[in-house]
Amino acid sequence: MVMTLLMAAFMSISFTACGSNDDNNPAPTDRNLVVKVNNVKLAFIYVPGGTYEFTISRKDSERNAINVNLSGTMNDFFMSQTEVTNQLWKAVMGSIPQQSEQTGDKYPVIYNSYNDISNAGGFIDKLNELAKDQLPAGKKIALPTEEEWHYAAKGGPQSGGYIYAGSNSIDEVAWYYDNSDASTHPVAQKEPNELGLYDMSGNVWEFTSTLVNGKVANCGGGYTSENDWCELNLSFPDNVDELFENVGIRLVIK
């Protein structure tokens, strides 16, 4: 029933940019906001702010870990309901990366580096320019910080305290090593988390804007990951200029 209602909301005619008495501080009822670029839509879910306190484990490829305590007060923001797809990337950039094996519209875009996305004139700059008249006053599209990513993935104030994004059963919410058939999958095919965000565990790792000793903190695990790499209590710092077959993009408006 929950899945049915969420998908109905996603497809309904009311799924348009929401108004508010104060666009800089969206009201709790403003759940959806849609950005449209060249007839391609990217839906954003309202994430209500609140206090947070959690410990994340930053791991390297050898599984060495440094535990980091994160706490504070989170402002309201919007997060994209899905990972950025090939369709949206093509609408903004003209074509998808040539290395991509899965070229379907609804597959998450891959083979981009953090620098490709974040540098001046890159994907985010171009998307902001194309969407500037659709955004709340004073707001911009960006990569989430590591704190924002974990806060939203855990469900924000609605958190159920799950191991993965929306469930303690990984197969309900994630494409990962055991069920992915060694491939990415179209977005939003598994159950969402408490906020209605899809694929925050598995399918592809997701860049954040947080740099750790010159490396970008990636979160969520991907289709090549074993189940423990998809848990919400970890991140994986990696090279900012490297192209990845298993890392994609999720965006925020803030």
Side-chain angles (χ1 to χ4, degrees), residues 169-176 179 190-191 199 201-203 230:
S169 173
I170 188 171
D171 286 287
E172 291 182 357
V173 295
W175 297 109
Y176 69 113
N179 69 5
K190 293 287 187 176
E191 294 286 338
D199 298 308
S201 289
N203 211 14
C230 298

Side-chain angles (χ1 to χ4, degrees), residues 18-31 33 46-50 74-78 135-139 253-254:
C18 298
S20 171
N21 292 331
D22 180 358
D23 283 335
N24 291 312
N25 186 18
T29 55
D30 293 342
R31 297 298 180 189
L33 189 154
Y46 170 72
V47 181
M74 186 70 63
N75 294 326
D76 302 347
F77 62 97
F78 291 91
L135 302 178
K139 302 298 184 181
I253 297 173
K254 57 182 180 178

Side-chain angles (χ1 to χ4, degrees), residues 68-242:
V68 180
N69 297 318
L70 301 176
S71 63
T73 301
M74 186 70 63
N75 294 326
D76 302 347
F77 62 97
F78 291 91
M79 176 170 272
S80 61
Q81 190 171 36
T82 68
E83 295 151 343
V84 171
T85 61
N86 286 332
Q87 185 181 35
L88 180 64
W89 182 273
K90 185 175 180 179
V92 175
M93 304 298 287
S95 62
I96 64 173
Q98 62 181 3
Q99 302 98 320
S100 300
E101 294 180 3
Q102 300 291 359
T103 59
D105 282 350
K106 299 305 180 184
Y107 283 84
V109 69
I110 53 176
Y111 284 112
N112 294 290
S113 73
Y114 169 83
N115 286 342
D116 290 335
I117 298 162
S118 300
N119 281 354
F123 172 75
I124 290 178
D125 268 7
K126 290 182 178 180
L127 180 56
N128 269 304
E129 180 61 26
L130 290 167
K132 62 185 179 182
D133 295 332
Q134 305 172 53
L135 302 178
K139 302 298 184 181
K140 285 193 173 184
I141 297 169
L143 290 173
T145 64
E146 193 175 35
E147 290 91 341
E148 288 166 342
W149 192 97
H150 284 282
Y151 178 83
K154 291 174 180 291
Q158 299 166 226
S159 177
Y162 298 119
I163 298 172
Y164 310 103
S167 179
N168 287 328
S169 173
I170 188 171
D171 286 287
E172 291 182 357
V173 295
W175 297 109
Y176 69 113
Y177 181 82
D178 286 354
N179 69 5
S180 69
D181 198 25
S183 174
T184 57
H185 287 258
V187 299
Q189 298 297 299
K190 293 287 187 176
E191 294 286 338
N193 78 347
E194 299 93 319
L195 294 172
L197 303 169
Y198 292 90
D199 298 308
M200 294 203 76
S201 289
N203 211 14
V204 290
W205 289 86
E206 297 174 9
F207 289 114
T208 73
S209 63
T210 299
L211 298 181
V212 180
N213 297 323
K215 294 188 174 184
V216 57
N218 300 329
C219 299
Y223 73 93
T224 61
S225 303
E226 296 177 3
N227 62 315
D228 59 329
W229 285 95
C230 298
E231 294 178 3
L232 295 182
N233 67 341
L234 65 85
S235 65
F236 184 74
D238 219 326
N239 300 324
V240 296
D241 57 357
E242 188 171 347

